[in-house]
Amino acid sequence: MANRTGHEILSRLRWPIGLTRYGMVAERGTRAFWPFWSLAMAVLGVLMLGLHDMVPVEAVWAGAVVTLVAGLALLVRGVRAFRLPREDEVLARLDATMAGRPIQALMDAQAIGAGDPASRAVWEAHQGRMRARAETARAVRPDLRVSARDPYGLRYMAALVFLVALLFGSLVRVGSVADMTPGVGSAEAAIGPSWEGWIAPPGYTGRPTLYLNDLKAGEIAAPEGSRITLRLYGPAGALRVIEDVSGAPVRDAEAAETESEPAQDFALARAGSLAIEGPGGRRWDMALIPDMAPQIDATGPAEASAVGDFTMPFEARDDYGVTAGRARITLDEDRVDRRYGLAIEPEPRDAIEVPLPLPVARGREDFEDVLIEDFSQHPWANLPVKLELRAEDAGGNLGQSPVQEIDLAARRFFDPMAAVVVEMRRDLLWNRDNARRIAQVLRAVSYKPEEGMFDRESDYLRLRFILRRIETGARYGMSDETRDEIAEALWDLALLLEEGTLADALERMRQAQERLREAMKNGASEAEIARLMDELREATRDYLEQLQREFAEQNQRDGTDQPDQGESDENTMTMTQDDLQRMMDRIQELMEQGRMAEAQQALEELQQMMENMRMTEGQGGQGGQSPGQQAMEGLAETLRDQQGLSDQAFRDLQEQFNPGANSGQSRGNEGRSGGMGRGEQHEGEGEGQSGEPGQQGEGQRPGQQGGPQDLGESLAERQNQLRRQLDQQRGALPGAGTPGGDAARESLDRAGRAMDGAEEALREGDLAEAIDRQAEAMDNLRDGMRELGEQMAEEQRNNPGQQGQAADAMPGQNRSDPLGRNQRGAAGVEDNMLQGEDVYRRARDLLDELRRRSGETARPETERNYIERLLDRF
């Protein structure tokens, strides 16, 4: 009975037993034959890669004999070591995986007590438990590891060689072994010579090498300049090479000898034919892929930046990529106004040649960039010149742009005395024979220094010293070194007259920025970077203080030192310092995280911000504003607050699904997301505030919580405040009864309803729905501001007299703040929110980041659905 029960259970376990048997066969086969198939993969990989073609024939066949003997030995060893698993071995392997070995227990019979009913009952109960346990049997996974037998991993090396051969080799090359010995391969190899050939395109094309033995007769297209290499084996004169693609003429007397040389190497210079005549020869029609010359051209006008840098955008393209570029600038004497110091002939001077910037992290086949150079100290600064752009590719082809007649944009000086000094410096560099005239002009303009031409006595003394050197040079002659020294002294004096001590502060700040940039590029230590960052902070603070002092002095000289204006300028400067402080905090945070590329980009943005600040130097404050302008500014502030609140909700949504994901970016978002974003420091807020839970900062808005508790309620309260603020602005909106005014009110009403929906969603904790409603509110706000702006423009067209009066009443109105942002008009309309290409670059970066996050499957589905809705909208 026990055996019958055992056979029944074995019939039920036929699948686990069968799979275990196959696994043991694979296990024993792997252990027995792994040396054989490792050798087979290694040999096949070497043959597919064609390595045998690089060694003598004797070595190939010696290796073949050794490989054959070793293969047979390993095969015999594997056959002798391999044994098929027996039935009892399979059952034992499967039975060992279960507790109590139930299969063996079911195969056993009761030895004693078979006639005792109690003993038989115990035995049957035991058999029942074993039967239930055996029915849970699962096939045993085979152990295919042979690391104990292959401690050096030879099988992995062989597999790697084989995989490389599959990727980069060819099965056709295996057959070439037969051609290496007469009598083994084809009939042609048995009775005649053989050949090999390659076509290697230039490296810069990125195209693969062509093996002519693998190519059938027909047409072959190859890049211009490809090297064709041919090897002829066998008796001299048995094979001949006939070609007309190299372009090199061969004399008839030497043609036969040249065509039969055993090794030939020439470049593909033109289309034609290539033939190997003789046994096994072939003929190909060679099509030439020409290497086109680069194309380059300017895409915009030449301009001067805030600090006098010459900027010109350009684009270049090439079929394989531009390797170098230069800009050549020559003086256009025909367009020069030959008066005053420029009336005499100029001294000979070489043309200006500067390298063009090329992309580093992206391809150079088709790109756009901007040439930035400072020509402010060159004698041709702001004079008519001819500009020609040149580009060169790896093949030596040269492309040129059309010659442009432009003015060499450079820095301009607005202080009258500084402008005179710079002009005299230009005349001196134009021709040193102008020295006597220059001395007369400088004496004339500095005749009465006490009448306000000089702010500092030291500047006048410096001019007197330079003047004496010029007069001495005019009398006794002036060398090149002396002329250059005087020109340098005149330039320094012009900077002092134009900027005062502000120039020194600016130079210190530039040097600090440059040292920090070099430290990040060279991988300096954290201590060194921290020291340079502190140095940059100090230099920037000194520069801002000096800039504010210059503003005040300029207003006093112009008679515009009004209390309202002074207060406006002071507030503007305070705002600028806060923005710069946050940006420098962001730079330091990026460097601490090791994100040096992003830190360098932020440092460049900081430098651009400081340049924009200089654009506003000396401009007065804003005058009175019309009700329409006040309404536009109020709506712009509401739009910025709504944007900041939406950013806050989006970050909180991220933190719900990925806690701590934004901890490293929170400081970088400060100051970027509007007035009500996370971490905002309002005017008067201390730098070291901790923002503990429940502690409201000094500059926080009413209802804004300082801690993370009940954050959804806090956001809802702030949304409610924005809604009430919008209602007040809508009631005071000008233009009632006009089409534009009514349309603006309707848009603001829709914005208010969207804000109500956002508030309700925030109170319910549905952040995704709240963000959608906030985006709708911002769209309606922008529509209302645009309609209000169109109504204001219509009123100005209908009342030109009032427009002129308003313009006369505000002659010194500041159109941009120290950060280069437009303050006049609708600050929230699409075309005024941000200016220049920064807005497009920022938009591209945001869209790329959204697309990257939408493809991360590890993110929660709710977050990815929201990101997809954002991508559909924008």
Side-chain angles (χ1 to χ4, degrees):
M1 177 178 180
N3 290 335
R4 186 182 64 184
T5 304
H7 290 303
E8 291 178 357
I9 195 65
L10 290 180
S11 62
R12 296 179 184 177
L13 298 179
R14 61 181 180 276
W15 278 107
I17 294 174
L19 293 177
T20 303
R21 178 182 293 106
Y22 295 145
M24 293 180 66
V25 171
E27 181 180 312
R28 295 184 178 186
T30 300
R31 294 176 180 177
F33 293 103
W34 74 264
F36 176 74
W37 66 54
S38 297
L39 177 63
M41 286 192 297
V43 173
L44 186 59
V46 169
L47 295 177
M48 291 173 63
L49 291 172
L51 299 181
H52 57 283
D53 296 330
M54 304 172 62
V55 297
V57 176
E58 294 78 4
V60 172
W61 287 105
V65 173
V66 173
T67 301
L68 182 61
V69 172
L72 290 175
L74 294 176
L75 181 60
V76 171
R77 173 185 174 277
V79 172
R80 295 180 61 183
F82 179 75
R83 291 289 182 274
L84 290 174
R86 298 191 305 273
E87 184 72 18
D88 57 338
E89 292 176 340
V90 176
L91 292 178
R93 169 69 70 86
L94 181 61
D95 200 15
T97 61
M98 295 178 287
R101 295 185 176 268
I103 297 178
Q104 183 62 41
L106 293 173
M107 300 293 295
D108 292 340
Q110 186 176 1
I112 58 177
D116 185 4
S119 178
R120 187 181 305 109
V122 172
W123 175 256
E124 290 177 357
H126 173 66
Q127 290 283 311
R129 287 195 299 270
M130 292 298 102
R131 187 181 302 106
R133 190 174 298 174
E135 290 177 353
T136 63
R138 296 292 182 269
V140 182
R141 178 178 298 178
D143 184 9
L144 302 180
R145 294 174 297 178
V146 292
S147 55
R149 295 173 172 79
D150 183 19
Y152 300 105
L154 299 178
R155 62 194 186 282
Y156 295 129
M157 299 181 189
L160 177 62
V161 172
F162 184 68
L163 290 177
V164 172
L166 287 178
L167 293 175
F168 303 104
S170 173
L171 287 172
V172 178
R173 295 181 179 177
V174 179
S176 64
V177 176
D179 297 336
M180 300 183 70
T181 300
V184 180
S186 61
E188 291 83 1
I191 61 176
S194 60
W195 58 271
E196 281 187 302
W198 300 268
I199 300 179
Y204 61 83
T205 63
R207 294 175 176 267
T209 299
L210 302 178
Y211 187 56
L212 290 177
N213 298 67
D214 293 344
L215 302 178
K216 298 180 179 179
E219 182 174 328
I220 301 177
E224 180 181 1
S226 299
R227 301 299 302 182
I228 300 178
T229 303
L230 298 173
R231 298 288 185 267
L232 307 180
Y233 308 110
L239 295 175
R240 297 173 55 196
V241 177
I242 307 298
E243 58 87 13
D244 58 357
V245 297
S246 64
V250 180
R251 293 191 299 272
D252 295 338
E254 302 175 354
E257 181 179 355
T258 302
E259 293 168 357
S260 61
E261 290 180 356
Q264 299 189 29
D265 189 353
F266 49 88
L268 179 62
R270 62 188 181 186
S273 62
L274 171 64
I276 300 177
E277 295 185 349
R282 299 178 195 170
R283 183 181 185 280
W284 300 274
D285 294 326
M286 302 299 299
L288 186 69
I289 302 176
D291 186 2
M292 306 300 296
Q295 299 180 8
I296 186 170
D297 200 359
T299 58
E303 298 176 345
S305 67
V307 294
D309 289 338
F310 174 92
T311 61
M312 169 171 279
F314 67 93
E315 62 178 0
R317 64 185 64 87
D318 185 67
D319 44 6
Y320 298 116
V322 177
T323 59
R326 299 191 69 82
R328 178 180 174 84
I329 303 174
T330 56
L331 181 65
D332 190 357
E333 297 186 23
D334 295 336
R335 294 193 300 123
V336 174
D337 187 5
R338 303 297 292 273
R339 295 186 298 169
Y340 310 121
L342 305 181
I344 62 178
E345 290 298 320
E347 296 181 0
R349 191 172 296 274
D350 295 334
I352 303 174
E353 290 195 6
V354 294
L356 296 176
L358 300 177
V360 176
R362 54 190 176 92
R364 299 180 180 179
E365 292 80 9
D366 189 354
F367 66 93
E368 295 182 1
D369 215 317
V370 180
L371 170 64
I372 303 177
E373 288 289 338
D374 189 359
F375 299 117
S376 299
Q377 299 188 50
H378 197 275
W380 299 343
N382 296 311
L383 289 181
V385 294
K386 295 180 179 179
L387 172 66
E388 182 182 22
L389 303 179
R390 299 179 179 179
E392 185 178 356
D393 62 10
N397 299 310
L398 184 65
Q400 299 180 351
S401 68
V403 178
Q404 299 186 55
E405 296 181 350
I406 62 173
D407 290 342
L408 189 60
R411 176 170 182 164
R412 294 187 180 275
F413 291 79
F414 301 98
D415 183 86
M417 181 58 70
V420 171
V421 172
V422 169
E423 183 177 350
M424 294 303 102
R425 174 184 178 276
R426 182 202 63 189
D427 293 347
L428 179 64
L429 293 174
W430 180 267
N431 195 314
R432 70 195 74 190
D433 292 342
N434 284 322
R436 188 177 302 277
R437 175 184 173 276
I438 294 171
Q440 294 174 352
V441 173
L442 291 179
R443 283 194 175 277
V445 298
S446 62
Y447 174 59
K448 292 184 177 182
E450 67 278 0
E451 292 185 355
M453 295 300 294
F454 297 92
D455 294 334
R456 291 169 296 276
E457 184 178 355
S458 59
D459 296 342
Y460 172 70
L461 296 177
R462 185 188 294 261
L463 177 61
R464 297 295 296 178
F465 175 76
I466 298 173
L467 184 56
R468 284 195 295 270
R469 293 196 63 184
I470 295 175
E471 291 175 340
T472 302
R475 181 176 303 176
Y476 300 106
M478 187 181 301
S479 63
D480 293 344
E481 293 77 8
T482 302
R483 178 200 62 189
D484 295 339
E485 291 176 2
I486 295 175
E488 184 68 24
L490 287 171
W491 179 261
D492 295 339
L493 176 60
L495 290 179
L496 288 175
L497 293 172
E498 178 75 12
E499 299 180 341
T501 55
L502 184 64
D504 297 334
L506 178 61
E507 184 62 26
R508 288 196 301 273
M509 186 183 67
R510 285 179 177 174
Q511 292 177 1
Q513 291 174 346
E514 185 62 28
R515 284 193 292 268
L516 180 60
R517 185 180 294 106
E518 289 297 325
M520 289 189 293
K521 184 185 301 182
N522 298 330
S525 63
E526 295 182 2
E528 178 67 14
I529 290 179
R531 185 186 65 81
L532 293 175
M533 194 68 200
D534 293 338
E535 181 181 339
L536 176 59
R537 291 178 187 272
E538 182 179 356
T540 304
R541 183 169 54 253
D542 294 342
Y543 174 72
L544 292 177
E545 292 175 356
Q546 183 62 33
L547 184 62
Q548 185 175 2
R549 190 178 300 111
E550 290 287 336
F551 284 167
E553 293 177 359
Q554 181 68 27
N555 290 335
Q556 186 174 3
R557 286 195 300 267
D558 296 342
T560 60
D561 191 15
Q562 301 175 1
D564 292 342
Q565 279 183 300
E567 184 179 355
S568 176
D569 289 340
E570 183 178 355
N571 293 337
T572 301
M573 184 59 62
T574 302
M575 178 197 65
T576 302
Q577 290 173 348
D578 290 342
D579 288 341
L580 294 177
Q581 184 67 31
R582 282 191 290 268
M583 180 167 284
M584 285 190 286
D585 289 341
R586 175 61 173 165
I587 294 173
Q588 187 168 4
E589 181 182 359
L590 291 172
M591 290 189 296
E592 292 173 354
Q593 297 175 359
R595 299 155 64 183
M596 291 301 175
E598 299 180 35
Q600 290 184 11
Q601 182 178 0
L603 184 61
E604 293 176 358
E605 293 177 1
L606 173 63
Q607 185 175 2
Q608 183 64 34
M609 180 183 293
M610 302 305 297
E611 293 179 1
N612 290 336
M613 289 179 62
R614 299 190 62 212
M615 294 290 289
T616 65
E617 181 181 354
Q619 294 180 350
Q622 292 185 357
Q625 292 181 332
S626 66
Q629 292 173 336
Q630 294 176 358
M632 292 293 274
E633 290 187 359
L635 292 175
E637 180 66 22
T638 301
L639 179 60
R640 284 192 293 269
D641 290 347
Q642 183 64 79
Q643 180 66 59
L645 188 58
S646 180
D647 292 344
Q648 173 77 62
F650 181 70
R651 288 194 294 270
D652 295 339
L653 179 63
Q654 284 183 307
E655 291 176 358
Q656 284 185 2
F657 298 102
N658 191 10
N662 296 323
S663 59
Q665 302 177 0
S666 59
R667 294 178 63 187
N669 291 328
E670 294 175 3
R672 292 178 180 266
S673 57
M676 302 186 73
R678 177 192 293 268
E680 180 194 3
Q681 289 181 341
H682 298 280
E683 182 181 353
E685 186 177 352
E687 182 179 349
Q689 281 181 321
S690 61
E692 298 175 357
Q695 178 183 355
Q696 183 171 336
E698 181 181 351
Q700 289 175 326
R701 301 177 184 272
Q704 183 177 352
Q705 301 295 327
Q709 72 274 17
D710 200 11
L711 185 56
E713 188 68 16
S714 174
L715 294 178
E717 292 175 1
R718 289 158 57 185
Q719 186 66 71
N720 181 266
Q721 293 175 12
L722 276 180
R723 175 67 171 94
R724 294 198 300 267
Q725 179 180 335
L726 181 63
D727 288 341
Q728 296 176 0
Q729 293 169 344
R730 181 175 178 274
L733 201 67
T738 61
D742 294 340
R745 282 177 170 80
E746 292 177 1
S747 297
L748 297 184
D749 186 59
R750 291 193 299 271
R753 290 195 297 270
M755 289 182 179
D756 285 339
E759 179 187 354
E760 181 179 355
L762 288 172
R763 295 191 185 279
E764 295 176 356
D766 189 354
L767 292 178
E769 177 66 20
I771 294 172
D772 288 340
R773 300 286 73 77
Q774 288 169 344
E776 181 182 349
M778 287 186 288
D779 290 341
N780 287 303
L781 272 173
R782 294 189 183 98
D783 292 341
M785 296 172 66
R786 180 172 57 250
E787 290 156 354
L788 179 59
E790 293 174 356
Q791 177 62 29
M792 292 170 57
E794 182 67 23
E795 292 178 356
Q796 289 180 353
R797 286 193 294 269
N798 296 334
N799 301 281
Q802 295 181 5
Q803 181 182 1
Q805 293 174 4
D808 295 339
M810 297 180 290
Q813 183 175 0
N814 184 8
R815 293 172 179 247
S816 60
D817 69 357
L819 299 181
R821 299 171 295 199
N822 194 347
Q823 290 184 339
R824 184 184 181 192
V829 185
E830 288 87 337
D831 55 355
N832 288 325
M833 284 291 288
L834 289 171
Q835 292 83 32
E837 73 177 275
D838 285 345
V839 60
Y840 303 106
R841 178 178 58 80
R842 181 60 177 161
R844 274 198 312 271
D845 294 343
L846 289 175
L847 287 175
D848 292 341
E849 178 65 16
L850 287 175
R851 293 190 183 99
R852 183 186 68 80
R853 295 190 180 189
S854 66
E856 295 179 353
T857 57
R859 292 185 176 272
E861 184 178 358
T862 305
E863 181 181 355
R864 286 189 283 116
N865 290 339
Y866 171 70
I867 293 175
E868 290 176 0
R869 290 201 301 271
L870 284 180
L871 291 174
D872 292 340
R873 176 184 293 270
F874 299 105

